[in-house]
Amino acid sequence: MSWGTELWDQFDNLEKHTQWGIDILEKYIKFVKERTEIELSYAKQLRNLSKKYQPKKNSKEEEEYKYTACKAFLSTLNEMNDYAGQHEVISENMTSQITVDLMRYVQELKQERKSNFHDGRKAQQHIETCWKQLESSKRRFERDCKEADRAQQYFEKMDADINVTKADVEKARQQAQLRHQMAEDSKAEYSSILQRFNQEQWEYYHTHIPNIFQKIQEMEERRIVRIGESMKTYAEVDRQVIPIIGKCLDGIVKAAESIDQKNDSQLVVEAYKSGFEPPGDIEFEDYTQPMKRTVSENSLSSAKEGKPELKFGGKSRGKLWPFIKKNKLMSLLTSPHQPPPPPPASASPSAVPNGPQSPKQQKEPLSHRFNEFMTSKPKIHCFRSLKRGGATPEDFSNLPPEQRRKKLQQKVDELNKEIQKETDQRDAITKMKDVYLKNPQMGDPASLDHKLAEATQNIEKLRLETQKFEAWLAEVEGRLPARSDQARRQSGLYDGQTHQTVTNCAQDRESPDGSYTEEQSQESELKVLATDFDDEFDDEEPLPAIGTCKALYTFEGQNEGTISVVEGEMLSVIEEDKGDGWTRIRRNEDEEGYVPTSYVEVYLDKNAKGAKTYI
């Protein structure tokens, strides 16, 4: 089957068909190009999705990825990132192996098609020219024959007419012969042109056109084969990445299978375990026996020792504070539980213009103090400072034992890494110094002495720091005795205050005569309110200063809530005397407490709300 023999007369249709074939090829190229764009867009969206859910560095999310479920999710995100990379590979391979190749082939195909049809048109024009020559010679031969017949008829007519001269007859005869000769010449020319045209026409339909159409047929068949090969390549490009995509999916499955719920549960225990023991049973409190006390200056401490002690949980009362947070509230609502000491005997009334209140003064009920706390916004600010003791302690003593142990261990590990880093740096400097000593032209060894000394000093500092944290760690783990008083003061916790604070939560502040001013119902109400509102106060700022004061005498603050001052020291006033003889002051923004009002000279800010000046 050949287009040259079967379609010898379908030149125009073949031209249209081959153009349609090129259009189909260009359409397929456009299809593949759009597919590559989709693959790139899909890969980009997958990468953005994976990046969106990646944990942020140095954030709480990063700490959550210690759990196996979160690790599996992180592995899934990484596998999805690799999965997106395979779609980018698909796009790149389709572009390089199909799109670019076919676009170049289309240009070559257009040039070949143009050349073949140009040769076909040239052959057509040649045969048309031969045909025109044949027609022209044929018309001339026909015309000469007709003229020869007319000349012959005219001669015969003149020869038969007796009235015509002989000369006219001879002239007619010569004219007839001339026309006959011209007809013969035209006949010979027409015959020659006809033979040549037939030869050209045979060659045109049996040689030229078949050859040209054969080239066009081969060109079209190559186009069809090429588009088929491109389709195979299209499938192979996808098939090549299937194993890698399968590995990505296998990685996701493997990550899912690595999830260990028991391990995650253990991590939760390690993260939040406090190390405290659960509270014991709460003992029955008998209020049927009224408690009566007499007031005297020397009987306050003895009355405390002899009175029946109100207990929240018997032996376990010291363990209640991690769960009952109201001790913070009580420490705010109540100033020290003793009347302020009188100033030194040498003080004159003029030196102490704001002397202590009468020891017989009755303290206001706890409910009044709580109401005042609830309606006074500035008082809320002191909770965080009371809880944290100003700033986070260096020894993490504000944390439960187990969490503190973990933090200390983490700090020790970090310091050991820093020591190793500094040690490596020192060793490198030492080696460089040795090289300089052996080869002075490379550098001055003395120039490294300063760096070497600095590195050694840093190592020593880090080692001392490490020993300090290791001592705290050993204390937590029970290898050393209990913490010193200084460590207790730094901790800001309730280690030495638990018993007294919890007991004070069950009763109101004592008046100077030792009597109680609150009923059990008020205690219960306070317990609920303090627990409910405690968390709201944790994030409040410290109380603002409402003035300044100057210490008139040295005061040793040994009781809970008090602060030591030195004569002549200037401090900030954050709470006025509420009638109980105590004024609340602050030192250096992180140390605050109560001092006797008669021991200080107060200068309140005139712009402060309700400010009064003690002169």
Side-chain angles (χ1 to χ4, degrees):
M1 179 188 66
S2 174
W3 287 6
T5 56
E6 302 292 337
L7 303 175
W8 60 272
D9 57 345
Q10 299 297 322
F11 185 88
D12 294 336
N13 288 331
L14 287 179
E15 187 176 17
K16 292 178 182 179
H17 177 76
T18 53
Q19 181 59 46
W20 171 83
I22 292 177
D23 293 341
I24 288 293
L25 190 57
E26 290 179 337
K27 183 183 293 186
Y28 182 74
I29 293 173
K30 185 178 180 182
F31 160 76
V32 176
K33 187 180 294 185
E34 291 183 0
R35 165 71 189 280
T36 59
E37 293 174 355
I38 291 173
E39 292 291 340
L40 281 178
S41 176
Y42 181 51
K44 183 179 179 180
Q45 292 179 14
L46 284 179
R47 288 191 184 277
N48 290 339
L49 181 65
S50 177
K51 183 179 179 181
K52 178 181 178 181
Y53 287 94
Q54 288 282 349
K56 297 179 181 178
K57 293 184 177 180
N58 301 324
S59 67
K60 185 178 180 181
E61 290 183 5
E62 195 172 20
E63 297 179 0
E64 295 174 353
Y65 278 80
K66 62 185 178 181
Y67 299 102
T68 57
C70 294
K71 289 181 179 179
F73 179 55
L74 184 60
S75 298
T76 300
L77 295 178
N78 294 333
E79 294 295 345
M80 288 304 297
N81 202 42
D82 296 340
Y83 185 87
Q86 297 310 307
H87 285 278
E88 292 175 347
V89 171
I90 290 176
S91 177
E92 293 173 0
N93 290 342
M94 285 187 175
T95 299
S96 61
Q97 299 180 22
I98 299 178
T99 305
V100 175
D101 196 25
L102 284 184
M103 288 179 68
R104 183 172 58 251
Y105 177 70
V106 164
Q107 297 300 323
E108 296 174 355
L109 191 65
K110 288 181 178 179
Q111 292 295 330
E112 184 179 359
R113 176 181 174 277
K114 181 180 179 180
S115 176
N116 289 332
F117 280 100
H118 176 73
D119 293 342
R121 289 191 183 91
K122 187 175 180 181
Q124 279 184 337
Q125 291 175 359
H126 178 70
I127 198 67
E128 288 175 358
T129 301
C130 293
W131 173 255
K132 289 179 181 179
Q133 291 178 356
L134 178 62
E135 288 293 323
S136 176
S137 63
K138 180 180 179 181
R139 286 194 299 270
R140 186 167 57 252
F141 173 58
E142 182 181 7
R143 185 179 66 250
D144 290 344
C145 288
K146 290 180 179 179
E147 290 179 356
D149 289 341
R150 284 197 300 270
Q152 183 64 30
Q153 291 175 2
Y154 180 72
F155 169 70
E156 291 177 353
K157 181 179 178 182
M158 293 292 288
D159 188 38
D161 190 357
I162 57 175
N163 296 322
V164 178
T165 61
K166 187 176 180 181
D168 292 335
V169 173
E170 184 62 24
K171 184 178 179 180
R173 185 181 63 80
Q174 291 178 355
Q175 188 67 25
Q177 290 178 350
L178 180 60
R179 293 295 179 185
H180 277 289
Q181 185 60 41
M182 291 177 63
E184 290 294 330
D185 293 341
S186 297
K187 180 180 179 181
E189 182 182 2
Y190 171 66
S191 176
S192 175
I193 291 175
L194 179 61
Q195 289 179 1
R196 189 167 64 251
F197 174 77
N198 288 333
Q199 181 65 29
E200 291 289 343
Q201 181 176 258
W202 189 90
E203 290 179 356
Y204 174 78
Y205 287 111
H206 293 83
T207 303
H208 297 307
I209 290 298
N211 290 338
I212 293 172
F213 281 12
Q214 184 64 31
K215 292 179 182 179
I216 295 174
Q217 180 181 357
E218 292 174 356
M219 177 193 71
E220 185 68 9
E221 289 176 352
R222 287 199 306 272
R223 178 192 66 81
I224 295 172
V225 171
R226 193 61 171 270
I227 196 171
E229 291 175 349
S230 299
M231 290 179 180
K232 288 181 180 179
T233 304
Y234 178 88
E236 287 299 325
V237 168
D238 263 339
R239 195 190 306 276
Q240 288 173 0
V241 300
I242 287 178
I244 304 178
I245 291 177
K247 291 182 179 179
C248 294
L249 299 178
D250 292 342
I252 295 175
V253 173
K254 184 178 180 181
E257 293 174 349
S258 67
I259 296 177
D260 185 356
Q261 66 276 14
K262 298 297 184 182
N263 184 66
D264 286 0
S265 298
Q266 181 61 32
L267 290 176
V268 174
V269 172
E270 295 176 0
Y272 301 110
K273 181 179 178 181
S274 66
F276 294 114
E277 295 293 335
D281 296 337
I282 298 177
E283 294 183 359
F284 176 76
E285 301 178 23
D286 190 359
Y287 293 97
T288 59
Q289 299 295 331
M291 293 179 289
K292 298 181 180 180
R293 298 171 182 246
T294 59
V295 179
S296 66
E297 183 178 355
N298 298 326
S299 64
L300 181 61
S301 58
S302 61
K304 281 193 171 185
E305 296 173 359
K307 67 181 178 180
E309 190 174 9
L310 294 177
K311 301 180 180 179
F312 277 88
K315 295 180 180 179
S316 63
R317 60 185 178 182
K319 302 174 183 177
L320 278 173
W321 68 266
F323 307 97
I324 301 177
K325 300 181 180 179
K326 69 181 180 193
N327 52 353
K328 295 194 300 182
L329 182 61
M330 293 302 300
S331 65
L332 172 66
L333 294 181
T334 59
S335 55
H337 308 295
Q338 296 177 348
S346 61
S348 63
S350 60
V352 190
N354 50 349
Q357 301 294 330
S358 171
K360 297 295 183 178
Q361 180 182 1
Q362 184 72 18
K363 301 296 185 292
E364 50 189 334
L366 178 60
S367 60
H368 294 174
R369 296 285 287 174
F370 184 75
N371 291 334
E372 183 185 17
F373 154 74
M374 294 300 295
T375 57
S376 178
K377 184 66 176 177
K379 289 190 178 181
I380 299 177
H381 294 289
C382 66
F383 276 109
R384 197 159 93 187
S385 61
L386 285 179
K387 174 183 176 182
R388 67 186 180 182
T392 303
E394 186 183 12
D395 61 350
F396 304 106
S397 54
N398 60 324
L399 297 176
E402 183 64 23
Q403 301 303 317
R404 184 187 177 203
R405 184 193 64 79
K406 290 179 61 179
K407 286 289 186 180
L408 290 172
Q409 184 64 54
Q410 182 180 356
K411 187 68 176 179
V412 169
D413 294 340
E414 292 176 358
L415 289 172
N416 286 331
K417 290 181 181 179
E418 290 293 329
I419 291 175
Q420 184 61 40
K421 182 179 178 181
E422 291 291 337
T423 303
D424 294 341
Q425 184 176 358
R426 183 189 62 182
D427 294 342
I429 296 174
T430 303
K431 291 181 180 179
M432 187 179 296
K433 184 176 181 180
D434 294 340
V435 172
Y436 287 176
L437 290 172
K438 295 178 181 179
N439 301 289
Q441 66 275 11
M442 297 182 66
D444 183 12
S447 62
L448 300 177
D449 291 341
H450 175 69
K451 292 183 178 180
L452 191 60
E454 183 179 356
T456 304
Q457 185 178 5
N458 291 338
I459 292 173
E460 187 62 27
K461 288 181 180 179
L462 289 172
R463 284 177 177 171
L464 292 175
E465 192 77 8
T466 304
Q467 291 175 2
K468 178 174 64 175
F469 280 94
E470 286 177 347
W472 285 331
L473 180 61
E475 174 191 334
V476 173
E477 294 177 347
R479 296 197 300 266
L480 292 178
R483 289 174 294 170
S484 64
D485 292 340
Q486 181 180 1
R488 289 180 180 273
R489 287 196 297 270
Q490 292 176 348
S491 66
L493 274 180
Y494 313 98
D495 296 342
Q497 306 173 10
T498 302
H499 172 78
Q500 184 177 358
T501 303
V502 174
T503 305
N504 290 335
C505 290
Q507 62 187 28
D508 189 25
R509 294 159 47 201
E510 297 173 347
S511 61
D513 60 357
S515 62
Y516 291 91
T517 59
E518 285 299 327
E519 297 296 331
Q520 202 273 341
S521 60
Q522 293 173 339
E523 174 204 345
S524 302
E525 179 185 1
L526 177 60
K527 183 190 300 182
V528 175
L529 290 174
T531 305
D532 290 341
F533 291 109
D534 179 79
D535 291 339
E536 298 180 8
F537 305 142
D538 287 346
D539 295 331
E540 294 294 340
E541 295 298 327
L543 278 172
I546 61 174
T548 59
C549 68
K550 179 180 180 181
L552 301 176
Y553 313 102
T554 299
F555 174 71
E556 296 293 337
Q558 299 178 352
N559 296 326
E560 174 193 359
T562 61
I563 182 173
S564 300
V565 295
V566 181
E567 181 179 353
E569 184 178 4
M570 297 298 297
L571 306 107
S572 299
V573 178
I574 59 176
E575 187 178 339
E576 294 182 73
D577 185 356
K578 298 299 182 181
D580 55 3
W582 295 93
T583 298
R584 191 169 183 182
I585 62 173
R586 179 187 296 143
R587 177 192 293 122
N588 299 332
E589 299 297 332
D590 59 356
E591 189 177 358
E592 59 186 47
Y594 289 92
V595 296
T597 305
S598 59
Y599 275 60
V600 294
E601 185 175 359
V602 180
Y603 308 97
L604 295 181
D605 187 357
K606 295 182 179 180
N607 297 327
K609 184 177 180 181
K612 296 182 294 184
T613 305
Y614 295 87
I615 300 175

